[in-house]
């Protein structure tokens, strides 16, 4: 029996409401208090960055739980192992692996090739190409759009695709999750009056990813 559902729980509505209230407040702040917005709100090691780290670690915890639920030596277990590493990597990169907190100086390589002279990979510059824009920007956007629009659609329409994805235990987004991703991008790209608008996408997107992992459309596959 198919128990897939786009039903949105009360807790999901509360989390989504808090995220978008914070986003709208940020849009207003970018106009009314632009200096405070840049130097206090979206600054390195500021509240938005640490919120990003918290949600990324939260995503890793869910993936650890999924990993423990899956059978040994299966593709699903390998997928969740990689996802755990991915989210931990993302959290570490966000705070430059604690470099600023611990007061550690970057070595010569990162001093030369990192746009912020910090010890992280996402701000590396190769020639004239910024890794952050190429891989973590355009690359991530392409993967996300494929996931939200192509994989999601095929899952809902084709039984063979559904069976394959369920066997790999890949979480599929609910309609509200998909809509929220696009609303997030529209609010930030069209509403924020600051070159630091990308920090707000990093601030809010991990929350949506966490919801997507926690309460996916095909949550029944995790309850069997």
């Amino acid at each position: 029996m198919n128990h897939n559902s786009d039903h949105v729980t009360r807790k999901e509505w509360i989390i989504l409401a808090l995220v978008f209230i914070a986003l709208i407040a940020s849009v207003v702040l970018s106009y009314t208090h632009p200096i405070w917005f840049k130097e206090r709100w979206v600054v390195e090691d500021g509240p938005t960055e640490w919120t990003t780290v918290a949600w990324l670690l939260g995503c890793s915890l869910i993936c650890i739980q999924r990993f423990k639920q899956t059978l040994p030596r299966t593709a699903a277990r390998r997928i969740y192992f990689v996802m755990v590493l991915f989210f931990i990597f993302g959290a570490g990169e966000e705070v430059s692996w604690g470099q600023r907190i611990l007061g550690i100086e970057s070595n010569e390589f990162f001093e030369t090739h990192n746009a912020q002279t910090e010890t992280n990979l996402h701000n590396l510059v190769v020639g004239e190409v910024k890794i952050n824009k190429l891989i973590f920007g355009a690359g991530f956007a392409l993967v996300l759009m494929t996931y939200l629009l192509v994989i999601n659609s095929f899952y809902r329409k084709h039984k063979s695709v559904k069976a394959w994805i369920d066997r790999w235990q890949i979480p599929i987004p609910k309609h509200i999750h998909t809509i929220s991703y696009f609303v997030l991008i529209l609010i930030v790209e069209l509403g924020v009056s600051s070159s630091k608008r990308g920090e707000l996408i990093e601030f809010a997107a991990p929350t949506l990813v966490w919801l997507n992992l926690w309460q996916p459309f095909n949550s029944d596959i995790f309850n069997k």
Side-chain angles (χ1 to χ4, degrees):
M1 183 176 179
N2 188 347
H3 296 288
N4 293 349
S5 175
D6 279 307
H7 172 71
V8 184
T9 66
R10 183 179 179 183
K11 290 181 180 179
E12 287 179 278
W13 281 123
I14 291 173
I15 293 172
L16 286 170
L18 291 174
V19 168
F20 284 103
I21 287 172
L23 277 178
I24 293 170
S26 297
V27 171
V28 174
L29 283 171
S30 72
Y31 287 94
T32 60
H33 296 79
I35 296 176
W36 189 92
F37 176 83
K38 291 186 70 172
E39 297 182 359
R40 296 293 184 87
W41 184 239
V42 294
V43 69
E44 301 289 347
D45 296 325
T48 57
E49 184 168 89
W50 280 107
T51 300
T52 300
V53 171
W55 284 111
L56 287 172
L57 291 177
C59 289
S60 72
L61 290 177
I62 290 181
C63 290
I64 289 172
Q65 180 183 13
R66 302 287 194 232
F67 173 84
K68 292 161 71 173
Q69 289 175 336
T70 55
L71 294 173
R73 296 183 295 279
T74 59
R77 172 162 281 207
R78 289 191 289 271
I79 286 174
Y80 281 103
F81 177 75
V82 172
M83 288 177 70
V84 169
L85 297 180
F86 173 79
F87 287 120
I88 292 176
F89 172 80
E93 282 283 298
E94 191 67 17
V95 292
S96 295
W97 302 98
Q99 177 187 15
R100 294 185 298 271
I101 299 171
L102 300 174
I104 301 173
E105 295 292 329
S106 298
N107 61 31
E108 184 178 348
F109 175 82
F110 288 104
E111 287 280 355
T112 304
H113 298 285
N114 191 285
Q116 296 182 351
T117 67
E118 295 177 342
T119 306
N120 59 54
L121 299 181
H122 71 281
N123 284 319
L124 286 180
V125 178
V126 179
E128 299 296 324
V129 179
K130 291 185 176 181
I131 299 298
N132 195 23
K133 289 186 177 181
L134 178 64
I135 298 178
F136 298 96
F140 180 75
L142 178 61
V143 170
L144 183 62
M145 292 303 103
T146 302
Y147 171 66
L148 293 176
L149 300 179
V150 180
I151 295 177
N152 187 10
S153 177
F154 272 65
Y155 178 90
R156 293 168 182 266
K157 294 179 181 180
H158 301 282
K159 291 183 178 180
S160 59
V161 175
K162 178 184 182 303
W164 181 81
I165 289 177
D166 283 351
R167 185 168 64 251
W168 284 50
Q169 297 195 24
I170 299 172
I172 295 298
K174 295 178 180 178
H175 286 319
I176 189 64
H177 301 152
T178 302
I179 292 169
S180 295
Y181 282 115
F182 287 104
V183 172
L184 160 62
I185 294 170
L186 287 174
I187 289 176
V188 172
E189 293 298 331
L190 300 180
V192 178
S193 176
S194 172
S195 60
K196 301 282 285 184
R197 63 174 61 88
E199 300 295 327
L200 288 180
I201 292 180
E202 293 179 8
F203 158 71
T207 312
L208 303 183
V209 174
W210 186 88
L211 286 172
N212 194 164
L213 289 168
W214 177 50
Q215 293 287 335
F217 172 71
N218 56 339
S219 59
D220 62 305
I221 65 175
F222 302 110
N223 299 325
K224 294 179 181 178

